[in-house]
Amino acid sequence: MPRDLPRDLPRHGRGRAAAMGVPSVTGRRELFGAARAELAGRQGVLLHGPAGIGKSALVASLVAASAERAQPSGTVLRCSPAAEEAGLPFVGLVDLFARVPESCLEALAPEPRAALRAALLHEREPADDRARLAVRVAVLDVLRALAAAGPVLLVVDGLQWLDEPTAEVLAFALRRVGGLDIRVLTAERVSDGERPERRRCCPPDTLELLVPPLDDDEVAELVRTVVGAESPPGVLRAIQDTAAGNPSYALELARTAPRDAASLGLARPLPVPRGLRDRLLDEARSLPPTARHTLLVASAAAHPTLTVLRAAGLPDAADALAEAERLGVATAGADGTVRFRHPLVRAAVYADAPEYGRRAAHTLLAGAVTEPVERARHLALAHPHEDETTARTLMSAAESARRDGTPEAAFELAALAALRTPADRTADRVERLLAAAEYACDGGLSQEAGQAAATVLAGSGSARQRTRARVILLRNAGQALEGTRDLIEEGLREAAGDPGSEAWLHYWAAVRGLLCGELTDAARHARRAARQAELAGDTDTGIGALATLARVRSLAGEAVAADAALEEALALAGGADTGPESWGLIRMGAILALDSDRVTEAGERVTRLLAEIGEYAGVEEVMATLVALTRIQVRAGHCREALRTAAHCSDILAESGVLAAPALYAAALAATAASSADEARSLAEQAVRASEADGDRLFLLRALAVLGQAELLAGDPPGAAAAVEVLGRVKRLGETMCAADPPLLHWYADLTEALVVLGETDAAGTVLHDARALLSADAPGSVLAALERAEGLREAALGRAKEGALHLRRAVDRLRRLPLPVELVRTLIALGTVERRSRRRSAARTVLHEALDIAKRIGAAPLAARAWDELARLDARDRAGETGTGEPELTPTEARIAELVGGGATNREVAAKLFISVKTVEGALSRVYRKLGVRSRTALAHAMAVAVLASGAAVTYSDDDQVTPVPPGVTMSQPGRIRPARAPDTRR
């Protein structure tokens, strides 16, 4: 271990990095790995970037990593120059050589030793050229001596402030250390877009590595890790925008940021700590008053330009900005746009001004800009007191912002309007606060919406206003409505006699019942909401209630009743082209069409809906539509497009800081179709946890179903066992909810398939029986095909391969008439597998090639892999010279049971090991005897014993590492699997 580096170096590094508290590789793992690799293969690495970007943290981590490589004989020489020391000669050399043993100096020749000791202040400073040369030679000799004893790491963190005499010595010495085990790690501060100026102080082969800004996710991780608390989404967004990827700035802002988003907004910019302002504005404060005033007005403007500044009464703005540009504070581009060196500099200029100065700047800008929202913002900031005229202006601007599709700005303007409303106009203040909460809901600002609505609920004496507040809180809950029963029931008691308020609350009770799986209650509340809405003349709520009733009827498997409720809602809305009132109905119609196998129609409806809502709908509306589109794209076989749609949905949710189960479900569903089982499983597990946290049984059903499908993709017993557990829960949950819609019956088929893989054919038969009991007379063809596929697999597992193939062909024929290529591929693979195991290789190859071609065309990567695996098994047999006749092949579960029984395990032991029933073991063992041509356990064991004695006998290994011989009638298909082989050719 190097002498000056303790073994217990903290994770956050030391020196400047520790002072900042920056985790060594937060957001920098890739860069850290690259720098570490380069430092091992070349003599120098130079990290460069602007102040606070994280160079020192990387240096500390790299020093720690290099120390591990260098121990026990390595040496680290290190210095961290500071700006105030740059003029002191040889101060950097003093730091670097502080821990060089005196014995190294004593070993030098007299003249170099004396010169070096003088440079290190042991004697007088070298005064002439010969003495300065002697210092250079002495440093070079010391480095050579240290390298002879072990690896040397020379570290200069802050190359820009290294004193010139030390820089000259290093430049001389490091040009002459080629071939020695000396590594040089340096960091230099440079302005954005500039190159390092001190590269001459590094070895010739030094690699320059730019340390880039962190992205928003990395900043969020950094703040969460170091500050130790979750920042509200609005506060975190402000930190990310102001820090612009600079980790040091982000941390300093986070430590002083408010703990609630309500403390920010148009009137409350993110505070900048005084110490940080002092560092950023040290030179800017020396500017003339005119220039400083120009910078303040520019920092207050939303979109500062020379035109705006001149309109604000600053005719000499260009000259003033020229002064600021000279100091690197701000500049005016060729197009007149004013740009500050960094967003934090702009925030610091604004925060550094006195309150009266900021008001004056906003007064000037209020008269200069013409855009209503920006003008209202400046007006509010120029008059931070109650004033009805200002409040009305702000509300007008808020309504304009909402119409323009910027609900976040609408919320902030309405919230400001409420603050500016005089105290004697309480009703107006509450109405404006309610409007602000509604706009916040539209924009996905859940915390802000909740705070505003809770304020109204706690303080308003109006039952109607309190009901509106409750509705906002219910909207704000998203999918997590399970815990809102008391909120709704209290509201219904308070709203008794007011049809409009009752309609709102009954509607939300219906939505809650739908999400929580209480379908009977949901239908009752939906009908009551529709009646009360009709009495109140509230068309919108009536439409929503009927749409919810349609969804409830659909989930219960009552397709005709669902269509009737939807048609009634559309008639009330005046048709499908009536704007926002019909959006939810269009989406609902698309889902009903999808569940009825009218996939093309569903896709057309949702595509038109997305084009219509554009950027003007709220987060909830857009997300729900994108989730629906993902479902449609997966079933239609547009797998790559589904991945992109799901990613877009996730991006929208990420911007709002919300982790929603529907978005996770969509991502998992797309992954099962186009990505991988592992990714789908991870996303589905997250969706399950999010749904459980919300109490949302509707999406919990879907998330569990996708998780089961992801487990089934593996096609092996462990995956099937996991799928049975998950899909069994889906079945039980559906039964509790009294659900019987087409997707649920598809999931019954998946459960049957998983049970078949495990050899649980009796249990699979029970599931199929239960599914058929739920079938309606108008069941869609895809449901019938899914159940036929499951029945075919079960028949084949029971040894009735011919009957199984017949069921599967019927399912294939049915699916060929439907636009459902993913389901067709699944069924073709199932048919090909049964045909292969039955030794009908030509038929198997035909259907498997068709499955592979379709899967590749539609981008269904996991299914393409399954088809390819099955074809590979066929090819392996052909290479072995096998014919197309013989006994059926063992299933994976039968093969595993044969291995264990052949090794001496009892049926009970086999059942315990494979997590199946003893009855299942008995049934599977009977099929194994028949397929392998033996009649007892003894015969099976004897066949395996003979195989062990036979020359070249193959063996395989079970999970507990016991060697299991492969009997003569069996060949290996894959590790841990056995299959019957054709009889040996005795004619040879």
Side-chain angles (χ1 to χ4, degrees), residues 660-855:
L664 289 166
Y665 155 74
L669 181 64
T672 61
S675 185
S676 69
D678 287 343
E679 183 178 357
R681 185 184 300 111
S682 174
L683 289 165
E685 287 170 346
Q686 293 179 58
V688 168
R689 289 193 294 270
S691 298
E692 289 173 334
D694 290 345
D696 181 351
R697 290 190 177 185
L698 184 60
F699 268 97
L700 178 59
L701 266 179
R702 301 191 183 286
L704 287 169
V706 174
L707 179 56
Q709 291 164 5
E711 298 288 5
L712 263 179
L713 283 175
D716 56 17
V724 166
E725 180 180 353
V726 171
L727 293 170
R729 188 179 172 192
V730 170
K731 183 174 183 291
R732 292 189 298 274
L733 189 57
E735 289 169 347
T736 301
M737 296 168 60
C738 299
D741 63 338
L744 188 73
L745 297 177
H746 280 281
W747 304 332
Y748 272 54
D750 291 340
L751 175 57
T752 302
E753 181 176 340
L755 288 166
V756 167
V757 173
L758 291 180
E760 297 275 7
T761 51
D762 289 346
T766 301
V767 173
L768 281 173
H769 177 270
D770 292 345
R772 292 195 179 97
L774 296 173
L775 276 177
S776 62
D778 54 354
S782 64
V783 169
L784 299 175
L787 295 177
E788 282 179 328
R789 181 185 71 239
E791 184 66 73
L793 290 170
R794 179 175 178 271
E795 287 288 323
L798 288 168
R800 300 192 286 267
K802 188 180 211 179
E803 292 83 350
L806 185 61
H807 279 288
L808 288 163
R809 289 192 197 99
R810 280 204 296 263
V812 167
D813 290 342
R814 194 184 297 275
L815 289 169
R816 290 193 194 282
R817 300 191 293 271
L818 298 170
L820 303 170
V822 172
E823 294 178 40
L824 175 60
V825 170
R826 279 190 67 182
T827 309
L828 286 168
I829 292 172
L831 176 59
T833 301
V834 169
E835 298 282 36
R836 176 180 65 78
R837 289 174 177 165
S838 300
R839 294 298 195 272
R840 290 189 283 270
R841 290 206 214 7
S842 177
R845 192 178 303 281
T846 299
V847 295
L848 288 172
H849 270 299
E850 181 183 1
L852 180 60
D853 290 343
I854 297 173

Side-chain angles (χ1 to χ4, degrees), residues 376-391:
R377 168 183 178 268
H378 290 304
L379 184 64
L381 295 170
H383 302 91
H385 49 75
E386 294 178 358
D387 178 74
E388 180 60 18
T389 300
T390 301

Side-chain angles (χ1 to χ4, degrees), residues 423-446:
D424 60 353
R425 304 181 69 96
T426 304
D428 289 337
R429 174 177 287 184
V430 172
E431 285 295 319
R432 289 161 183 168
L433 193 55
L434 282 169
E438 289 170 348
Y439 299 157
C441 267
D442 291 342
L445 306 174
S446 58

Side-chain angles (χ1 to χ4, degrees), residues 6 31 50 74 145 152 241 379 449 502 509 523 551 555 593 737 818 834 851 949:
L31 181 60
V152 176
D241 293 343
L379 184 64
E502 287 188 33
R551 189 69 190 94
L555 192 62
M737 296 168 60
L818 298 170
V834 169
L949 297 175

Side-chain angles (χ1 to χ4, degrees), residues 965-984:
V966 180
V970 175
T971 60
M972 296 297 297
S973 60
Q974 54 179 302
R977 305 282 186 267
I978 58 177
R979 68 186 184 197
R982 67 187 180 123

